Amino acid sequence: MGDFNLALVIVAIVVCILVFIFNVYLLVNYQHPDDANQAYFPKFVVVLGLSIAAISILMLPADVANRQACRHAIYNGSCNLTLPMKDLWLAVYIFDAVLVFFVIPFAMFYYEGDQDKTVGKRIKSALLWVITTAIVCGLVLGILYGLIGKVDFTVRHLSSGTISFPSSWDFSSNQQCIGGNGAKQCSAYTASVSSEKTWTMRTTFPEYVVALATIVGSVLFAIFGGVGIACLPLGLIFSFIRRPKAVITRSQYIKEATELGKKAKELKKAADALHQEERSGSKGRKWRKNVKAVEKELFQLEEDVKLLEEIYPQGEKAETSWAFTVLGYLLKLVLGVLGLIVSVAWVAHIIIYMLVNPPLHPFLNEVFIKLDDLWGLLGTAAFAFFCFYLLLAVIAGAMMLGLRLVFITIHPMKWGATLMNSFLFNVALILLCSISVIQFCSTAFGYYAQATAAQEIFGHTLQSLRGIRFLYKYNVFQIAFVILAGLTFIYYAAFGWRRKKPSGRFQLSS
């Protein structure tokens, strides 16, 4: 058994190394050419943040495997080499909170600082913002922890008398008590409701920080996850439905390219005007509104150009390029159908296992257990896949709402054209939501992940924390998740099949 536990430690180390290498690959291929060979500190933060997010998702399956390592242990010393999961959970999520609220904002302030200033002045300006944020967050956390940083557990006090051991034991489905001298000792069955009491204890400060970060992430998770669980697969399917059916003629291409060229000139003129306003120091509300409008139109222009290149491939390998375009849309259809099955399974599991009390059926919990019976890590791998899929749904939902709502700044992730501030924004979003994804998965798969360190932190402590436990008691986040998923399904059923119309002429607000 000790050898198995040592193997688990080795696997964890290897996975962490592979995750780091993969995130470096993503950074290199997604970064904008303007950021090549510079902005090294933001790049380090991006790789570190993505690695922490991925490792935190993988830690829940590792927690389950860690628990199973001692399932057949005969003596206590056989499990000395298991991973200290509770300490690892707290360390990862405290580090997660520090990255989200301090390190990433500092990197963004530094990156977006005035390029005309010296490095020292940019660091000083970024530090002032971060220190101010740290003081405010520290005061809020300290006051909240001092006032309501406690957990309230409902317990029932049981007591009974003692009797001598009987000469024979007579137990059955109808007789579950010890009988002796005409007395029945069944205190667990006869305890009154008045024996229930509330047991209060103060939680540790790290657990409290994780809990509050989870609440913030849960709000975003309920919104983005509920929308993304539907738009992730349906977006792929309807992308196939709206796909270009054939290449256009050269005359059509020239006409469309001319229109896009006119729009590009309008955007360049608007961007130059905004740059002049910035230099003059008139950066008011109207200026910020116009900057967002230019960013949105620029993103739309890039999408239109990409679509035009798809329907009129050029060069010596134009036919090959069109063939790959067709295959790409077919792949989207396949992935969309598979994703739709997973999304429906997720929503059904939430309704069957989480919203109904008592649960109607373990559903996916039982599926994972049966897969483990077939092969030791098969159920754990499926478990990890469902957790990762939920995180992908959150990212998809954030991107969809970011393109449609005015209160969110658009930070698109594009292959070979992603600036570091967009990278940092999306990494912060992923890190913040990853905490809630883990908490949600540990609750949704509580039967499969029982007796794990994650369930102790995110199940018992978090759901008993004073002031916020009612959000979990009445399934507020789960209900919001299901409602938003249903509304998004309806939206795509009504409007998803329509082909996107080209945007009109662009004008700045006066």
Side-chain angles (χ1 to χ4, degrees):
M1 185 59 64
D3 293 338
F4 177 81
N5 299 333
L6 182 60
L8 182 60
V9 175
I10 295 174
V11 169
I13 295 174
V14 172
V15 167
C16 291
I17 295 174
L18 292 177
V19 165
F20 178 79
I21 294 174
F22 179 73
N23 289 327
V24 171
Y25 171 79
L26 286 181
L27 175 68
V28 171
N29 287 278
Y30 267 91
Q31 69 176 345
H32 197 281
D34 293 345
D35 288 328
N37 300 319
Q38 61 179 347
Y40 290 109
F41 177 70
K43 290 178 182 177
F44 170 77
V45 174
V46 165
V47 173
L48 181 62
L50 289 175
S51 300
I52 292 296
I55 290 171
S56 64
I57 298 295
L58 291 172
M59 278 179 64
L60 190 52
D63 201 351
V64 174
N66 196 60
R67 177 206 65 191
Q68 293 176 346
C70 292
R71 183 170 55 181
H72 303 296
I74 299 176
Y75 61 98
N76 293 333
S78 64
C79 290
N80 287 339
L81 293 178
T82 52
L83 298 175
M85 291 306 303
K86 186 173 181 179
D87 294 335
L88 288 175
W89 277 119
L90 294 177
V92 165
Y93 283 114
I94 291 295
F95 196 56
D96 190 316
V98 171
L99 280 175
V100 170
F101 296 107
F102 302 111
V103 178
I104 291 179
F106 172 81
M108 291 187 70
F109 287 132
Y110 176 78
Y111 178 82
E112 295 177 348
D114 192 347
Q115 299 295 325
D116 296 332
K117 294 182 178 180
T118 62
V119 174
K121 290 183 177 180
R122 290 168 64 188
I123 293 176
K124 181 180 178 181
S125 176
L127 279 175
L128 287 175
W129 281 103
V130 173
I131 291 173
T132 303
T133 304
I135 293 174
V136 173
C137 290
L139 288 174
V140 172
L141 286 174
I143 293 172
L144 290 176
Y145 180 71
L147 295 177
I148 56 175
K150 300 178 181 179
V151 288
D152 297 319
F153 296 105
T154 300
V155 296
R156 176 171 290 184
H157 178 74
L158 302 178
S159 62
S160 66
T162 59
I163 62 172
S164 302
F165 280 110
S167 58
S168 63
W169 300 90
D170 184 17
F171 292 105
S172 66
S173 59
N174 296 323
Q175 172 60 33
Q176 302 177 12
C177 308
I178 299 176
N181 299 325
K184 301 293 185 182
Q185 302 301 321
C186 299
S187 297
Y189 288 89
T190 59
S192 63
V193 178
S194 61
S195 64
E196 285 189 352
K197 294 182 179 180
T198 300
W199 180 33
T200 300
M201 62 177 294
R202 182 170 293 278
T203 184
T204 63
F205 186 72
E207 289 181 337
Y208 192 71
V209 173
V210 171
L212 292 186
T214 304
I215 292 298
V216 177
S218 294
V219 175
L220 298 175
F221 167 76
I223 298 173
F224 295 147
V227 173
I229 201 72
C231 78
L232 178 58
L234 293 180
L236 294 172
I237 293 174
F238 284 106
S239 177
F240 171 80
I241 295 175
R242 298 190 302 262
R243 74 192 186 281
K245 303 298 191 301
V247 297
I248 60 176
T249 62
R250 180 174 176 79
S251 60
Q252 290 175 312
Y253 170 76
I254 293 175
K255 179 181 178 181
E256 295 291 338
T258 303
E259 291 295 324
L260 292 178
K262 292 179 180 179
K263 187 175 180 180
K265 290 181 180 179
E266 292 177 3
L267 285 174
K268 186 178 185 303
K269 184 178 178 180
D272 291 339
L274 290 172
H275 189 59
Q276 290 294 333
E277 290 183 25
E278 183 183 13
R279 286 185 173 181
S280 63
S282 57
K283 296 169 61 176
R285 181 179 179 183
K286 185 182 71 174
W287 181 86
R288 290 191 294 270
K289 181 179 179 182
N290 288 331
V291 167
K292 290 185 177 181
V294 169
E295 289 178 348
K296 184 175 181 179
E297 289 296 326
L298 180 60
F299 180 77
Q300 185 63 57
L301 178 63
E302 292 175 348
E303 292 295 312
D304 292 340
V305 171
K306 181 181 178 182
L307 178 61
L308 185 60
E309 291 175 350
E310 283 185 351
I311 59 180
Y312 190 78
Q314 303 180 53
E316 298 179 356
K317 299 181 179 180
E319 294 183 357
T320 304
S321 178
W322 174 250
F324 276 111
T325 299
V326 174
L327 290 175
Y329 280 104
L330 289 174
L331 180 61
K332 286 184 178 181
L333 176 63
V334 174
L335 294 177
V337 172
L338 294 176
L340 184 61
I341 296 172
V342 177
S343 294
V344 171
W346 251 119
V347 174
H349 180 78
I350 293 171
I351 296 173
I352 293 173
Y353 185 77
M354 302 181 72
L355 297 185
V356 179
N357 189 21
L360 295 177
H361 192 271
F363 197 37
L364 292 177
N365 289 282
E366 190 169 321
V367 173
F368 298 151
I369 292 173
K370 290 183 177 179
L371 289 176
D372 274 335
D373 293 337
L374 292 177
W375 181 55
L377 293 177
L378 192 58
T380 305
F383 176 48
F385 169 76
F386 270 81
C387 294
F388 254 113
Y389 184 84
L390 199 59
L391 183 62
L392 292 176
V394 170
I395 297 172
M399 294 304 298
M400 178 183 175
L401 293 179
L403 296 177
R404 286 165 173 77
L405 298 181
V406 296
F407 63 88
I408 295 178
T409 303
I410 300 174
H411 285 276
M413 295 281 291
K414 301 188 68 176
W415 187 269
T418 305
L419 294 172
M420 282 300 110
N421 58 343
S422 297
F423 246 129
L424 291 167
F425 175 85
N426 285 282
V427 169
L429 180 65
I430 292 171
L431 281 169
L432 194 57
C433 292
S434 65
I435 303 177
S436 301
V437 169
I438 292 300
Q439 186 274 331
F440 193 85
C441 289
S442 65
T443 305
F445 304 126
Y447 183 65
Y448 179 72
Q450 59 184 334
T452 57
Q455 195 173 61
E456 179 182 351
I457 296 174
F458 299 109
H460 308 305
T461 302
L462 179 61
Q463 296 180 19
S464 301
L465 198 64
R466 183 175 296 180
I468 63 175
R469 58 177 180 153
F470 296 104
L471 295 174
Y472 295 96
K473 180 179 179 180
Y474 297 107
N475 298 320
V476 173
F477 299 119
Q478 292 89 332
I479 293 173
F481 184 96
V482 173
I483 291 175
L484 288 172
L487 292 176
T488 308
F489 272 111
I490 295 172
Y491 169 82
Y492 268 94
F495 306 106
W497 55 272
R498 296 182 181 178
R499 184 180 296 275
K500 180 180 63 178
K501 296 180 180 180
S503 54
R505 293 181 63 83
F506 170 70
Q507 291 183 345
L508 293 175
S509 61
S510 57

